[in-house]
Amino acid sequence: MILSRLSRAFREQNWFAVALEFVIVIAGVVIGFQITAWNGERGERELELRYLERLTGSVAADAVEFEDAANLAAQRGSQARRILAALEDPSQAGADSDAFLLGIVTAAYTYTPNVDRIAYDEMINRGHIGLIRNEAVRSQIAAYYQDLEVRSQWDYMRAHVQTRYMTLRAGVLTPAQERLQSEPATSGRYSAEDVEIAMARIADRPEMIAWLPTVEFWQQYNEDTYTAATEQARELRALLQAERERLE
């Protein structure tokens, strides 16, 4: 229809009509591009909010994982210290034989938090990190995941401390006592005599005794590291939540 009107206007040499038709065509193209741009921008803003929502959930779950890891490290560090103290003073083994013998088994156990990186990795792999318009928020997100990488470089050492200890303490408990560890927790599984025998076996293992301070050090390091990670995750969660509320 526009072409027919233009043809007629040219034949009639109606230059005003020609100019008007050109203005209409150009305006239509501009408006079309603008609508496309508006729709694209709206889609990006919706995607930004979805990413912020997913990241908020991810770091909230991370905080729970880090807190659990810190608590377990604190508990196991105490077990290592109790064994060292009992070597100097057998009364330090305490009245709870079950807890003490459990500590001999688990003192070097490590727990690696299950960190949820799915949303962040998706943003990076798809080149969507720039959708987070707030530069301060974007920087904090990047710093958080960079710190995860820094912490993970010591995972091999945590595993080494655990496996080395497990090798050195092998035989301190009898096979029957080891099996009791996997059964439902009940009091009175072990006696004071069991503790005395276990301590005598530890005393005959100088390498195990020499390794215990390393175990205690790494459990303290894990506790401190994961406590700091818990706070960092909580702070980032609050920042992400605030940014979501600001944009909604």
Side-chain angles (χ1 to χ4, degrees):
M1 182 177 294
I2 292 176
L3 287 176
S4 63
R5 290 201 302 267
L6 277 172
S7 297
R8 186 170 59 254
F10 272 113
R11 286 196 302 270
E12 296 173 356
Q13 295 187 352
N14 186 346
W15 307 121
F16 176 77
V18 171
L20 182 60
E21 292 295 341
F22 272 115
V23 168
I24 291 172
V25 171
I26 293 171
V29 172
V30 171
I31 291 172
F33 278 128
Q34 188 62 53
I35 291 173
T36 300
W38 285 335
N39 288 336
E41 184 176 352
R42 183 175 63 181
E44 288 183 350
R45 298 294 69 81
E46 291 174 353
L47 190 55
E48 178 186 24
L49 285 171
R50 287 199 296 272
Y51 275 129
L52 287 171
E53 181 179 6
R54 291 173 62 191
L55 287 169
T56 301
S58 293
V59 297
D62 291 349
V64 174
E65 286 282 312
F66 290 140
E67 185 173 30
D68 287 345
N71 290 337
L72 286 170
Q75 174 187 332
R76 290 160 182 168
S78 295
Q79 291 170 340
R81 286 188 289 274
R82 189 177 302 120
I83 297 169
L84 287 168
L87 287 167
E88 298 292 331
D89 178 5
S91 67
Q92 295 297 315
D96 192 339
S97 300
D98 291 352
F100 187 78
L101 290 187
L102 174 64
I104 293 175
V105 174
T106 63
Y109 280 7
T110 60
Y111 175 72
T112 301
N114 183 24
V115 176
D116 183 0
R117 295 181 54 103
I118 296 175
Y120 179 73
D121 287 343
E122 180 181 313
M123 289 176 63
I124 296 300
N125 293 335
R126 294 187 176 183
H128 286 170
I129 188 66
L131 292 176
I132 308 298
R133 290 169 291 172
N134 189 318
E135 185 176 353
V137 174
R138 195 166 61 245
S139 296
Q140 287 301 311
I141 293 171
Y144 175 79
Y145 286 98
Q146 178 62 37
D147 287 347
L148 291 181
E149 295 292 336
V150 172
R151 282 191 290 270
S152 68
Q153 70 178 316
W154 298 110
D155 288 348
Y156 81 95
M157 192 63 191
R158 296 182 179 97
H160 172 64
V161 170
Q162 175 176 322
T163 54
R164 175 67 175 159
Y165 177 80
M166 291 175 68
T167 299
L168 294 173
R169 67 110 181 137
V172 171
L173 271 63
T174 66
Q177 290 172 331
E178 293 274 4
R179 285 193 293 273
L180 284 176
Q181 298 279 344
S182 61
E183 294 183 2
T186 57
S187 60
R189 288 182 293 181
Y190 304 109
S191 66
E193 183 180 1
D194 290 329
V195 173
E196 290 179 9
I197 294 172
M199 289 303 301
R201 290 171 178 159
I202 293 174
D204 288 336
R205 288 170 165 76
E207 287 186 275
M208 177 182 174
I209 295 171
W211 195 246
L212 277 166
T214 300
V215 171
E216 192 277 330
F217 167 83
W218 274 98
Q219 294 296 19
Q220 184 64 59
Y221 177 82
N222 292 338
E223 180 186 356
D224 294 342
T225 296
Y226 292 131
T227 297
T230 302
E231 292 304 312
Q232 185 181 21
R234 287 173 176 168
E235 290 174 2
L236 180 57
R237 179 190 177 280
L239 181 64
L240 293 170
Q241 182 65 36
E243 182 66 5
R244 284 176 56 203
E245 293 173 356
R246 185 181 71 83
L247 295 175
E248 288 178 338

